[in-house]
Amino acid sequence: MTPIITIQQMGQYEGQTVSLRGWVYNRTGKGRLHFIKLRDGTGIAQCVAFKKELPEDQFEAAKALTQESAIIVTGTVRKDERAPGIPGGYELGLSSLQVIQQAEDYPITPKEHGTEFLMDNRHLWLRSSRQWAILRIRATIIRAMRGWLDSNGYLLVDTPIITPSAGEDTTSLFELDYHDEVAYLAQTGQLYNEANAAAFGKVYCFGPTFRAEKSKTRRHLMEFWMLEPEMAFFSLEDLMEVEEQLVAHTIQTVLAEHRAELELLERDTARLEKAIPPFPRISYDEAVERLAKLREETDDPEQKELLKLEWGEDFGSPHETAIAEMFEKPVFVYHFPSEAKAFYMQPVEGRPEVCRSVDLLAPEGYGEVTGGSERIHDEALLLQKIAEHKLPVENYKWYIELRRFGSVPHGGFGLGLERTVAWICGLQHIRETIPYPRMLNRKYP
Ligand code: 4AD
Ligand code: MG
């Protein structure tokens, strides 16, 4: 029996007869010689159809192959440095070809297409090599992050997607009809993580989260995946150490395993290589001072306008980009103004106008990739904050109750998967980081 292999495995079968199964990426050639670029999901390989080595009807079929036709081919694996493909370096000299389905005119061709057209055809666009590279890196990022947590004593504890109350703010909730009661899609798993951390010590959840944000930016999705570790007996300083270890491990794993994909994406990896702990840490106050100084120094009136910021306001993306550009590595900004952040954040002792929060800003304009904090562990203070934020206290009964039974200082953070993928892959827009993006104006396909 001829072994059926994948394109990725071709190097192990030099000189042998094997079968490949996949789709025609493109076909060129004329007369007695045709080159079929075959794609099978693991890579792309050149298959050579030579008239005298194939039965006549099969050679005719090879000549007529259209883009994305499904085929099974058999032949000899030959080493050839010049053979194009991913990974390339091997080609298949065909002795047989079977057409499973001859594809109709394929809408996505090597010519340039507009973004909206490609997004409408996302179910097909996924077959293109750029998308292939991005989504393979995405899978590795997930594996690397989960692997790091799993081997450092964190337990995966899943949190619900349907929730009775807001986890962050009330302005970005997707509302559901839950058997005639109001429910929401989870904005975060955090509140449940806090209960789980008291049960298991160090936990994390990883799942889709939902924000009905009216933002139409290159960093916002309505549905995105968040990795959220939560730890009992943890301080802000502990959090930053975990985050930099986790992020650095993830980047190093991608650099080690995905050179070909990063090259295909034309990612300049110089800045990524530098993301090794420790990452710089600056306070919000210092960030505001640095931004003010930058505004003073710039002659560009547009930049001056964009960098405006009153103490107390959260950063917009121009601020994040400017702060991140002051450092080679990703940078932590801690102690944000309490009024700019969520209700559950622990105030700084003696200075309650700021809180024990920290965001990690990625370089190269990618902005906030993680947000985290110490959580309020005192019941009275939590009740006060829930009232100040005008949240319905009865919905948070269980969450408040956690503060009565062995309440301890604890904290955690959320890492946005898609922003991390965009950063590591060097993408202009978040829409390519997830197979089927959900955006303000798009939920199809
Ligand atoms: O800063 P956020 O809102 O934090 C939380 O939800 C916390 N409860 C997490 C925690 O402490 N367990 O979101 C965390 C991260 C952001 O830093 C960003 O990377 C990503 O989630 N994020 C988004 N990514 C894509 N589209 C959106 N609309 C996003 N909103 C947040
Ligand atoms: Mg945030």
Side-chain angles (χ1 to χ4, degrees):
M1 267 290 281
T2 312
I4 300 170
I5 67 163
T6 62
I7 289 168
Q8 212 167 35
Q9 297 169 321
M10 281 174 83
Q12 304 158 35
Y13 289 86
E14 195 187 333
Q16 298 182 45
T17 301
V18 302
S19 293
L20 293 174
R21 302 186 287 200
W23 297 265
V24 175
Y25 203 61
N26 81 25
R27 183 191 51 77
T28 54
K30 56 172 190 266
R32 292 144 46 84
L33 194 59
H34 284 259
F35 297 99
I36 302 158
K37 282 225 187 86
L38 182 74
R39 162 185 91 63
D40 76 345
T42 74
I44 295 179
Q46 172 162 279
C47 301
V48 184
F50 191 34
K51 190 172 166 83
K52 69 171 203 231
E53 285 167 6
L54 276 170
E56 195 171 332
D57 59 323
Q58 293 183 19
F59 183 72
E60 288 307 313
K63 275 166 61 179
L65 283 173
T66 49
Q67 187 183 354
E68 290 304 319
S69 288
I71 55 175
I72 300 178
V73 289
T74 302
T76 312
V77 177
R78 296 192 292 242
K79 193 180 167 93
D80 182 346
E81 297 289 307
R82 296 157 311 165
I86 305 170
Y90 294 90
E91 63 178 23
L92 198 68
L94 299 191
S95 53
S96 110
L97 179 144
Q98 183 191 353
V99 179
I100 304 301
Q101 196 244 344
Q102 178 83 5
E104 294 175 22
D105 271 353
Y106 190 63
I108 302 177
T109 57
K111 74 167 189 191
E112 291 272 310
H113 293 286
T115 303
E116 283 309 298
F117 174 83
L118 289 169
M119 292 306 294
D120 284 340
N121 287 285
R122 185 66 176 164
H123 54 299
L124 302 176
W125 190 20
L126 293 179
R127 304 178 185 197
S128 304
S129 54
R130 254 181 75 80
Q131 306 309 313
W132 175 85
I134 295 165
L135 293 180
R136 280 166 60 94
I137 291 176
R138 176 186 165 106
T140 296
I141 290 172
I142 296 170
R143 172 165 48 81
M145 293 194 307
R146 293 202 41 194
W148 190 89
L149 292 167
D150 290 341
S151 54
N152 280 280
Y154 294 76
L155 187 73
L156 173 71
V157 184
D158 301 313
T159 53
I161 285 175
I162 298 175
T163 60
S165 44
E168 282 293 309
D169 60 283
T170 49
T171 59
S172 68
L173 286 165
F174 273 109
E175 206 173 296
L176 304 177
D177 176 350
Y178 191 79
H179 306 294
D180 298 330
E181 280 182 24
V182 173
Y184 309 102
L185 293 178
Q187 298 166 305
T188 170
Q190 179 198 318
L191 306 196
Y192 298 93
N193 265 347
E194 291 183 50
N196 300 341
F200 302 98
K202 297 201 291 187
V203 299
Y204 71 97
C205 64
F206 177 59
T209 46
F210 305 86
R211 306 269 169 105
E213 287 179 290
K214 293 273 181 265
S215 323
K216 204 179 158 189
T217 77
R218 58 194 192 89
R219 294 176 182 182
H220 286 90
L221 291 167
M222 302 296 116
E223 173 179 318
F224 62 97
W225 287 66
M226 200 176 356
L227 181 83
E228 298 183 84
E230 188 77 29
M231 293 68 72
F233 300 102
F234 234 66
S235 70
L236 197 67
E237 291 69 31
D238 298 332
L239 272 184
M240 291 191 254
E241 270 174 45
V242 168
E243 290 189 39
E244 64 191 3
Q245 296 296 330
L246 175 72
V247 168
H249 168 77
T250 304
I251 291 174
Q252 290 307 317
T253 305
V254 173
L255 289 172
E257 296 183 15
H258 289 289
R259 286 287 168 191
E261 286 84 350
L262 292 166
E263 216 165 280
L264 198 152
L265 296 168
E266 296 175 351
R267 177 68 168 119
D268 174 359
T269 58
R271 292 286 290 276
L272 283 180
E273 320 251 2
K274 293 195 177 118
I276 290 170
F279 297 166
R281 292 142 161 77
I282 62 168
S283 66
Y284 173 86
D285 291 344
E286 183 181 340
V288 170
E289 272 170 35
R290 281 172 173 263
L291 286 170
K293 189 150 171 282
L294 190 65
R295 277 192 75 216
E296 254 167 51
E297 287 166 0
T298 181
D299 298 323
D300 180 353
E302 195 185 337
Q303 187 71 355
K304 254 197 208 318
E305 187 57 34
L306 281 173
L307 291 179
K308 259 192 188 157
L309 184 85
E310 293 286 323
W311 194 98
E313 290 173 345
D314 208 350
F315 299 138
S317 62
H319 309 109
E320 290 179 357
T321 301
I323 297 162
E325 278 318 297
M326 296 169 189
F327 302 89
E328 276 206 317
K329 301 183 185 186
V331 54
F332 288 113
V333 181
Y334 61 88
H335 288 184
F336 279 85
S338 302
E339 59 183 288
K341 292 286 179 188
F343 70 95
Y344 50 72
M345 294 196 183
Q346 176 74 26
V348 170
E349 212 174 321
R351 208 186 153 206
E353 67 277 16
V354 291
C355 59
R356 300 279 285 159
S357 56
V358 62
D359 283 3
L360 180 65
L361 308 183
E364 302 171 272
Y366 288 98
E368 180 197 333
V369 287
T370 79
S373 72
E374 286 179 19
R375 322 303 190 187
I376 293 174
H377 56 279
D378 176 72
E379 181 179 356
L381 183 56
L382 183 60
L383 284 168
Q384 181 196 323
K385 289 283 176 182
I386 286 175
E388 278 173 21
H389 281 80
K390 300 193 172 54
L391 294 167
V393 68
E394 62 284 0
N395 287 357
Y396 294 90
K397 221 175 121 217
W398 67 270
Y399 181 69
I400 297 161
E401 193 177 78
L402 296 172
R403 277 69 190 162
R404 288 189 211 148
F405 307 108
S407 189
V408 298
H410 64 285
F413 64 93
L415 177 147
L417 174 65
E418 288 75 18
R419 289 198 190 168
T420 307
V421 174
W423 167 32
I424 294 179
C425 290
L427 308 178
Q428 286 298 316
H429 199 290
I430 199 164
R431 64 187 158 225
E432 286 180 73
T433 62
I434 184 165
Y436 301 96
R438 300 294 175 238
M439 298 181 296
L440 198 52
N441 301 324
R442 178 173 295 281
K443 57 182 186 319
Y444 176 93

